[in-house]
Amino acid sequence: MRVNLLGPLQAYGDDHCVDLAPAAQKVRQTLALLVLNTGRVVRFEQLMDELWDGDPPASAHTALQTYVYQLRKRFSLGNPRSGGAVRAAGPLLGTVDGGYQLSVPADHVDVFRCEPLVARARAEFRDEDFARARDTAAAALRLWRDDALVDVRKGPALRVEAVRLKELRTSAHHLRIEADLNLGRHHEVLGELTSMAGREPTDEWAQRNLMTALYRLNRRAEALQVYQRARTRIAADLGLDPSPELQALQTAVLTSDERLLRPTGRSTAMTADTRAPCHLPAPRERLTGRADELVRVTAVLAGRTGTDRPVVIVGGAPGTGKSELCLHAAHQVSCHYPDGRLYARLRDGVDRPVRPAETLRSFLRGLGATEEQLRLGTTDLSLLFRSWTADRRVLVVLDDVCDLRELTPLLPSGSGCGVLIASRRRLFVSSSAVHVELAGLPFEDCLHLLGSAVPSHRTTRDPAGLRRLAGLCQGLPGALFAVAAQLRRRPHWTARQAAAWVLASGSADNDPLGIRAGFDRTLAMLPAASRGPAYTLLSPGIPDRLTPALVAASLGIGDQQAEDLLEELSESYLLRARRPCANGRFSYEWEPGIRRFAARQSEGSVMCSA
């Protein structure tokens, strides 16, 4: 018997998944409460209080016996008091001392695997072993699939447990971020901290760590702005002044206290002899429909194509899964790069470029550079990075690349080093670079991805509805995974409700799929002279198939200017060139999803740029 409670309830028997339908909520409640009290007696009164919220009917005891009987039957649970045959090694659900007692091994419940990990991470953090504390906290967080008990009805006891488990998750998250800060990974957590500080403007932990990260990234003015916003909100919402700790941090930032630049503990003692850094995030989803591309990328990076200094550039429209493909490939070839696997996203949490110096400091800190070396300027940092990588085998993974100029200082020099780039634009890095371009997934792969991501959801039993959902996602893995995540959170939804939610991405002011934001960021990266015309071409009256002559007439510009605009949009993976027309010029089509997910912004953006 295995039970997972850190997310939607999952229950497994000896060798099979036990389907506890959402309609059987009291059975699910009973199971959750017994599991969370494994090894302890849960009294009848406590169970009835949980199931009927303090107002049990006259038949409550009989109903409770029925729920327990169902659990015993579905999970083959023995009862030591039944007098029947009981498996000595199996889980037991006994009737004891006016209640029930469930016995399940601790490692068969995700909650009981998570709690020791968080306790160990705390101990490692106290010992200033930040690298291990970070890894342990991250391992604890990987057990979470959503909020604890998210799809279980909660009475008094389970409400308390849900709050406790939420605090456990928050504690693990805080430990992981603080360990990252102490390891010098400031720009890697900046996006998380910015988001947390925005959601919780009076949470001094988030404000304090955001200020520290910004200061270490040489953004002192922004760190002080964070303090001012926090002070204003704390006064308005709570009627208080900031804590002495937050005030002291503001003073340290104002006076440029050098102690703020130095993480404490064992991380500052790292040298080139420490273990090879691995900065690669874990892939978020299983890879579907990209087997050929994955084989091609890994073959180049693993040296099977005979290429020295392998460079692979993965490009494609927003939402096509560039980052996920790169992460899967990087993890597969890690063994070929024993001296380090470095990762950086070249846009921060609010989509501003991360300065090359910040990325280089992160790389070099992981490779053992001293604090004095890390104070060098961009040119010297780049030279130091090239020198360090000249005779080593290091893989550098660069995500969200838009401009060759921001990329050049970050390239390693050694012939045994590999570079993997996820790019929003077509880039020329070297004549030997391998380009892999991602289009939308074939429809059958979309169906498989969506169905396998939520195999037990009611929408999978509606083939027509599932096909409609897959079609609305325009072949974009990002949209498909967003739909799957929503269905996991809402197992009661029908295909019609899910389809309405997807359609809201094309009509509402919010961005439920998270896809429009990607398109808008790419459009915003265009040169100023191209941005307004691009939004105009997304207007409903403009055909999907574009030619230079049509664009010239629509925008009132010359044919060559129109062709240059179309090529600019093609380089940004917004348009795809088709076969030449009779006059030798190409026609162009929007990449899948752009008209649906980005056109909503066109009218307002054109007005702003007019």
Side-chain angles (χ1 to χ4, degrees):
M1 180 182 186
R2 292 180 179 273
V3 181
N4 295 328
L5 301 173
L6 302 181
L9 176 65
Q10 294 176 336
Y12 303 88
D14 292 335
D15 56 2
H16 63 285
C17 177
V18 177
D19 183 17
L20 295 174
Q25 277 291 353
K26 285 187 168 51
V27 177
R28 295 159 68 86
Q29 276 180 277
T30 304
L31 175 63
L33 192 58
L34 290 170
V35 167
L36 287 167
N37 288 277
T38 294
R40 298 192 294 266
V41 175
V42 182
R43 302 191 65 78
F44 300 141
E45 295 81 3
Q46 184 181 356
L47 279 161
M48 288 189 285
D49 190 38
E50 169 65 27
L51 295 176
W52 289 280
D53 220 356
D55 187 22
S59 60
H61 197 278
T62 301
L64 177 58
Q65 289 177 323
T66 302
Y67 304 147
V68 170
Y69 169 76
Q70 290 183 32
L71 291 176
R72 283 181 175 141
K73 182 178 179 181
R74 294 188 187 194
F75 293 98
S76 302
L77 295 171
N79 180 2
R81 289 201 173 183
S82 67
V86 176
R87 294 173 304 167
L92 303 174
L93 177 51
T95 305
V96 228
D97 300 328
Y100 296 106
Q101 182 178 28
L102 179 65
S103 299
V104 179
D107 62 349
H108 287 199
V109 180
D110 56 359
V111 173
F112 303 143
R113 296 198 303 275
C114 182
E115 289 170 329
L117 285 172
V118 176
R120 194 173 89 200
R122 289 194 188 106
E124 290 165 344
F125 192 92
R126 285 195 299 269
D127 291 341
E128 298 185 353
D129 192 349
F130 299 120
R132 283 197 174 88
R134 195 259 177 220
D135 290 345
T136 305
L141 290 170
R142 282 195 293 271
L143 294 171
W144 290 78
R145 295 163 289 115
D146 204 328
D147 293 337
L149 303 165
V150 66
D151 61 347
V152 177
R153 181 182 175 275
K154 301 171 190 65
L158 288 184
R159 281 197 292 269
V160 170
E161 283 296 314
V163 171
R164 181 183 73 84
L165 292 172
K166 182 179 180 180
E167 290 301 317
L168 182 72
R169 187 183 193 182
T170 300
S171 177
H173 197 190
H174 286 187
L175 277 168
R176 204 219 77 221
I177 288 178
E178 291 205 29
D180 273 331
L181 286 171
N182 278 284
L183 291 167
R185 298 171 178 170
H186 321 305
H187 79 262
E188 294 179 24
V189 297
L190 183 61
E192 283 181 277
L193 287 170
T194 300
S195 177
M196 293 171 70
R199 288 195 309 269
E200 301 290 342
T202 60
D203 181 349
E204 293 198 14
W205 180 93
Q207 312 301 327
R208 185 173 66 249
N209 283 293
L210 177 57
M211 288 176 65
T212 302
L214 287 167
Y215 183 81
R216 289 179 183 171
L217 292 171
N218 200 27
R219 291 158 66 171
R220 187 170 69 147
E222 292 174 68
L224 292 170
Q225 289 171 3
V226 170
Y227 176 82
Q228 295 298 337
R229 286 196 299 269
R231 184 180 69 173
T232 301
R233 286 299 299 269
I234 290 169
D237 294 0
L238 307 177
L240 300 172
D241 291 326
S243 67
E245 292 82 4
L246 196 60
Q247 294 183 46
L249 179 59
Q250 184 220 18
T251 301
V253 172
L254 283 169
T255 59
S256 299
D257 190 333
E258 287 195 3
R259 288 174 294 181
L260 286 180
L261 291 171
R262 294 193 295 271
T264 59
R266 300 185 192 180
S267 58
T268 58
M270 292 178 67
T271 68
D273 293 327
T274 56
R275 65 178 182 176
C278 182
H279 296 173
L280 298 176
R284 291 176 299 176
E285 302 285 356
R286 289 173 294 183
L287 207 58
T288 300
R290 301 296 189 202
D292 292 341
E293 292 88 348
L294 182 63
V295 167
R296 188 178 177 202
V297 173
T298 54
V300 175
L301 294 174
R304 293 194 291 271
T305 60
T307 304
D308 286 336
R309 200 178 287 105
V311 176
V312 181
I313 304 171
V314 179
T320 50
K322 302 180 291 293
S323 300
E324 281 297 295
L325 175 62
C326 287
L327 289 178
H328 278 272
H331 280 281
Q332 284 198 18
V333 301
S334 286
C335 60
H336 296 275
Y337 298 93
D339 297 317
R341 283 79 65 196
L342 306 175
Y343 171 89
R345 184 172 178 262
L346 302 193
R347 288 292 180 278
D348 66 16
V350 290
D351 211 52
R352 290 177 300 197
V354 176
R355 288 176 291 185
E358 296 172 15
T359 302
L360 286 166
R361 288 189 182 104
S362 174
F363 286 176
L364 290 165
R365 187 176 285 109
L367 296 170
T370 65
E371 290 296 323
E372 182 178 357
Q373 290 171 319
L374 295 176
R375 296 192 183 98
L376 297 171
T378 303
T379 301
D380 289 331
L381 287 169
S382 183
L383 291 173
L384 182 62
F385 182 61
R386 292 176 195 169
S387 298
W388 199 93
T389 57
D391 56 355
R392 288 177 168 85
R393 295 184 59 82
V394 175
L395 176 64
V396 177
V397 182
L398 300 170
D399 195 8
D400 226 357
V401 178
C402 298
D403 191 332
L404 187 62
R405 290 170 297 181
E406 66 191 9
L407 177 66
T408 303
L410 309 178
L411 299 178
S413 62
S415 60
C417 295
V419 179
L420 180 55
I421 298 165
S423 178
R424 294 190 194 179
R425 288 181 62 89
R426 289 189 175 90
L427 300 174
F428 178 80
V429 177
S430 72
S431 57
S432 61
V434 174
H435 293 259
V436 176
E437 294 192 356
L438 302 183
L441 290 176
F443 187 70
E444 291 304 316
D445 285 331
C446 294
L447 282 176
H448 175 70
L449 187 157
L450 197 54
S452 62
V454 284
S456 59
H457 196 279
R458 63 188 300 177
T459 56
T460 61
R461 298 189 287 274
D462 178 5
L466 195 67
R467 294 179 73 85
R468 174 166 169 72
L469 277 178
L472 289 172
C473 291
Q474 302 280 299
L476 298 176
L480 290 160
F481 283 126
V483 172
Q486 185 74 343
L487 292 177
R488 285 193 289 261
R489 288 191 292 268
R490 300 181 181 179
H492 53 284
W493 266 18
T494 64
R496 177 179 294 182
Q497 288 170 302
W501 183 77
V502 175
L503 287 169
S505 283
S507 59
D509 291 330
N510 60 357
D511 183 19
L513 294 180
I515 295 295
R516 184 188 305 147
F519 285 120
D520 290 341
R521 285 195 298 267
T522 299
L523 286 161
M525 295 292 172
L526 295 171
S530 302
R531 207 172 303 143
Y535 278 112
T536 300
L537 294 178
L538 284 166
S539 301
I542 306 294
D544 286 339
R545 179 69 66 92
L546 301 174
T547 64
L550 185 151
V551 170
S554 300
L555 300 178
I557 59 178
D559 284 359
Q560 186 58 54
Q561 191 178 355
E563 188 170 14
D564 291 343
L565 172 63
L566 292 169
E567 289 294 339
E568 175 72 27
L569 297 177
S570 176
E571 287 180 20
S572 297
Y573 295 110
L574 297 171
L575 289 176
R576 185 175 292 271
R578 296 303 183 190
R579 290 184 301 177
C581 305
N583 60 5
R585 286 185 164 177
F586 289 88
S587 62
Y588 303 79
E589 289 180 345
W590 292 106
E591 289 281 358
I594 292 182
R595 295 298 296 254
R596 175 183 293 280
F597 297 120
R600 177 74 177 172
Q601 300 291 330
S602 60
E603 182 179 350
S605 299
V606 171
M607 292 174 62
C608 290
S609 60

